[in-house]
Every structure is written in structure tokens, then in C-alpha cells.
């Protein structure tokens, strides 16, 4: 993706010992009352791979399912964070997509956030996990929940048509930028199909070059063009791709801001982004958040959450 040095906030714990952690977790949940702080201290300071090892030890040693035990001891949003940490990252995202499409209405924003921000390899892993978990292809479920050009764009992304990350052709960028211009600003009406094709097929590195060339061709940024030429969910999806091409940390920082501003907090989005980016680039997202909103991510989270839920999120963000 973009050429930035990724700064995770959660990494593998040195001197890790799955049995020690497993015993400590069992102790924290046994008897009267639960030691929530011990659970936070252990699980937010281990990588997901290490948490899977603790889970395995727990089953071998106690014949119990660690996730089920945690569910029976914890509750509310705190439980949601801890269970999110215990699931493998790819299964977690597949489950989030499933939730976004279950019940009445579809959370298009969640589909966009998960699918438009990831490269082919990451999308393919999610697609495989989805089919394994729900015995149904993700593309098929998505087609029944979305429509029009928005559906076509997401289907292209899910079917993995994007070029490999290595295929960058500077000489082709201007030509493609002109195609975009001619499909939108350069004519009456918009040819969404051309936009869909280019934004779903080209790798992020190539798209970066195309967007730079677009400024030369049009005299405007690709964002300005999309805002004028495209509407609805398709516009949000295309703008998400553009932002992730330019800076994934800025994209996620804005998503976090949106989840916490206004009345009520969008806890599902808050948990999803903090947990799913903690081992990737949450450190970068933190920096972008502070740069964009002139306050720390940690202070915003503290204002919007409370109790063990707050402590778990702050620990993952890497706060005091």
C-alpha cells in the first residue's frame, strides 16, 4: 500500500508463555467476581497469534473454551472488545461484514471501510473466511444486499480483479487519468463503469500516479471530480479508495472521529478499527488523528467510553 512505515501499537510480547497466561486468565475468572484488569493486562499486550496459543493451552489444560468462559464472565462493550481480540483478525472482519448485512437494512459504510481499504491479498483472505464461516460466498450475499454501480464496484473488489502491487507503469498513468476525465468531467453525464473499472482494477501504487496525473489533466483533484460526478454509496466507496490510496492512517483517523462525534458513540466501528488496526498501523492512525483534530485519540476515547471498556481500548491504543 502507501509508502509509510507502519507502526502497530500491539506487538508480540517478549518472553511469552502461553501456559502462564492461560493459568492467570483462569485465575482471573475463577471463584467469586472477575479480575477484569488482569484480563486487560494480558490480552491487550499479546499479539493475536499469541492469544490463539493461550486459547489452545486453555482447551488442552482445562478442557474449556476460553472465548466461552470470557463471554460468561464479561458483559457489554468490554466483552465485545475482548472477544474481538480473541478471534483471528480475518474471521473478525468476516463476522463484521456478516453483521453489517444481517437484519433489516445494510451498513454500507462498514462494507466500504473493510473492503475498499484493503489490497487483493487481504480481501481474498476475508472472502475465504466468509465462505468458511457462513457456507455462502461473500459476493453472493453482498449482491443481495446492495444494488447498482455500488454493487458492481464492491463485486469487482471482492472477486479480486485488482492488479498485483508491483505493477506500476508511470507512462500509463496519464492515459488512464484522461480516461477518467473523459468519463466524468469531460462529458455530459458520468460513465460510472469506467470509474468502477479503474478504481477496482489498478493497484494502489498505480492509482496514486493516476490521481496525480488527474490534477494535470483536469486542473482539479480526483476527490473534487468524484464529489461532482458520482453520488450516494458509490461516491463514498470511491472516495474511500482514493483516501486509502493516499493515506490509510488518515482514512481510519477520520472514521474514528466520525464514530465518536455527535450524540452517542458508534461503538462497533470504534472497536473494529482499534482492534483490527492495532497490529498494523494504529500508531500511524494515532498520529494522523492528532494532526487532523488537534487532540489525541486517547483523550477522545476516554471522553466517549467508560469503565473496563475504556481501559481496554486505551491499552490497545498504547495510552498510559
Amino acid at each position: 500500500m502507501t509508502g509509510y512505515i507502519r507502526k502497530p501499537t500491539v506487538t508480540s510480547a517478549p518472553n511469552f508463555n502461553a501456559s502462564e497466561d492461560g493459568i492467570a486468565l483462569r485465575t482471573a475468572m475463577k471463584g467469586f467476581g472477575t479480575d477484569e484488569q488482569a484480563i486487560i493486562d494480558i490480552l491487550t499486550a499479546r499479539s493475536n497469534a499469541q492469544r490463539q496459543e493461550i486459547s489452545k493451552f486453555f482447551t488442552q489444560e482445562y478442557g474449556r473454551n476460553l472465548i466461552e468462559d470470557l463471554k460468561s464472565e464479561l458483559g457489554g462493550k468490554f466483552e465485545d472488545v475482548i472477544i474481538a481480540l480473541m478471534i483471528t483478525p480475518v474471521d473478525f472482519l468476516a463476522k463484521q461484514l456478516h453483521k453489517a448485512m444481517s437484519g433489516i437494512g445494510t451498513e454500507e459504510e462498514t462494507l466500504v471501510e473493510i473492503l475498499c481499504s484493503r489490497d487483493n491479498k487481504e480481501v481474498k483472505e476475508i472472502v475465504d473466511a466468509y465462505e468458511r464461516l457462513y457456507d455462502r460466498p461473500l459476493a453472493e450475499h453482498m449482491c443481495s444486499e446492495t444494488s447498482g454501480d455500488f454493487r458492481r464496484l464492491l463485486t469487482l473488489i471482492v472477486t479480486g480483479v485488482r492488479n498485483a502491487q508491483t505493477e506500476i507503469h508511470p507512462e500509463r498513468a496519464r492515459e488512464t487519468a484522461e480516461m477518467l476525465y473523459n468519463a466524468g468531467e469531460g462529458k455530459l453525464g458520468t460513465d460510472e463503469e469506467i470509474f468502477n473499472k479503474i478504481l477496482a482494477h489498478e493497484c494502489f501504487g498505480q492509482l496514486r500516479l493516476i490521481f496525480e496525473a488527474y490534477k494535470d489533466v483536469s486542473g482539479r483533484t480526483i476527490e473534487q471530480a468524484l464529489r461532482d460526478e458520482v453520488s450516494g454509496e458509490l461516491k463514498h466507496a470511491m472516495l474511500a479508495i482514493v483516501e486509502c490510496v493516499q493515506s490509510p492512517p488518515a482514512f481510519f483517523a477520520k472514521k474514528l472521529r466520525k464514530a465518536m462525534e455527535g450524540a452517542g458513540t458508534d461503538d462497533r466501528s470504534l472497536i473494529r478499527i482499534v482492534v483490527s488496526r492495532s497490529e498494523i498501523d494504529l500508531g500511524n492512525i494515532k498520529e494522523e488523528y492528532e494532526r487532523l483534530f488537534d487532540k489525541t485519540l486517547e483523550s477522545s476515547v476516554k471522553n466517549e467510553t467508560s469503565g473496563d471498556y475504556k481501559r481496554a481500548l486505551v491499552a490497545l491504543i498504547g495510552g498510559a
Side-chain angles (χ1 to χ4, degrees), residues 22-138:
I23 293 163
L25 286 170
R26 179 84 174 117
T27 307
M29 293 187 281
K30 235 169 59 177
F32 190 68
T34 306
D35 184 350
E36 286 88 356
Q37 193 58 53
I39 293 171
I40 294 171
D41 291 344
I42 295 168
L43 295 180
T44 61
R46 307 290 182 270
S47 66
N48 191 276
Q50 290 176 330
R51 292 180 211 123
Q52 301 311 322
E53 285 186 51
I54 299 169
S55 219
K56 220 179 340 190
F57 165 82
F58 211 81
T59 307
Q60 286 164 353
E61 185 69 17
Y62 304 113
R64 303 179 70 92
N65 181 317
L66 178 52
I67 289 181
E68 292 309 319
D69 276 14
L70 287 163
K71 278 182 179 169
S72 69
E73 293 292 329
L74 313 174
K77 304 283 174 273
F78 175 50
E79 178 191 326
D80 294 342
V81 178
I82 296 300
I83 300 309
L85 289 172
M86 291 307 304
I87 301 168
T88 62
V90 66
D91 281 14
F92 174 61
L93 291 174
K95 283 172 186 248
Q96 291 282 304
L97 287 171
H98 189 259
K99 259 193 196 134
M101 294 188 285
S102 301
I104 300 166
T106 303
E107 290 171 27
E108 286 89 356
E109 246 186 84
T110 303
L111 302 183
V112 166
E113 177 212 303
I114 294 175
L115 297 171
C116 295
S117 62
R118 287 169 168 83
D119 64 28
N120 249 4
K121 181 175 165 290
E122 294 168 310
V123 170
K124 177 155 179 17
E125 287 169 357
I126 295 168
V127 167
D128 292 347
Y130 197 91
E131 192 154 354
R132 172 170 49 75
L133 289 169
Y134 301 107
D135 204 21
R136 177 181 191 183
L138 173 60

Side-chain angles (χ1 to χ4, degrees), residues 157-320:
I157 290 170
V158 164
T159 48
V161 296
R162 200 178 291 291
N163 287 334
Q165 291 296 326
T166 48
E167 296 176 31
I168 294 178
H169 308 282
E171 68 290 346
R172 254 192 28 227
R174 189 180 170 92
E175 194 184 308
T176 315
E178 281 167 3
M179 277 169 71
L180 283 173
Y181 178 76
N182 294 331
E185 292 186 275
K187 72 191 276 267
L188 198 63
T190 308
D191 187 344
E192 282 90 356
E193 208 177 307
I194 299 227
F195 276 84
N196 266 349
K197 198 175 163 206
I198 292 167
L199 290 176
H201 278 82
E202 301 290 356
C203 72
F204 281 33
Q206 184 70 14
L207 283 173
R208 200 167 317 122
L209 297 176
I210 294 166
F211 299 157
E212 278 162 23
Y214 192 89
K215 268 185 281 202
D216 293 339
V217 171
S218 153
R220 303 170 78 211
T221 66
I222 188 75
E223 288 97 327
Q224 288 169 318
L226 288 171
R227 286 199 172 93
D228 287 349
E229 295 295 326
V230 193
S231 61
E233 297 306 339
L234 180 65
K235 177 177 80 176
H236 295 310
M238 288 185 169
L239 287 171
I241 293 172
V242 172
E243 265 197 83
C244 289
V245 163
Q246 291 164 346
S247 167
F251 171 75
F252 285 110
K254 287 176 193 167
K255 286 275 174 208
L256 285 168
R257 182 87 198 110
K258 193 173 175 213
M260 292 185 282
E261 96 198 318
T265 302
D266 175 357
D267 294 292
R268 199 191 285 177
S269 295
L270 178 58
I271 293 168
R272 180 176 58 249
I273 296 169
V274 168
V275 170
S276 68
R277 304 309 290 188
S278 60
E279 287 189 60
I280 302 171
D281 58 356
L282 191 54
N284 310 80
I285 295 167
K286 253 184 357 184
E287 288 167 9
E288 277 303 302
Y289 191 93
E290 195 165 348
R291 186 182 69 78
L292 290 166
F293 307 111
D294 211 23
K295 54 171 71 161
T296 65
L297 177 56
E298 191 189 329
S299 66
S300 292
V301 166
K302 282 179 170 170
N303 286 337
E304 294 298 323
T305 58
S306 60
D308 294 316
Y309 173 40
K310 173 174 83 178
R311 281 189 279 278
L313 286 178
V314 169
L316 288 168
I317 291 162

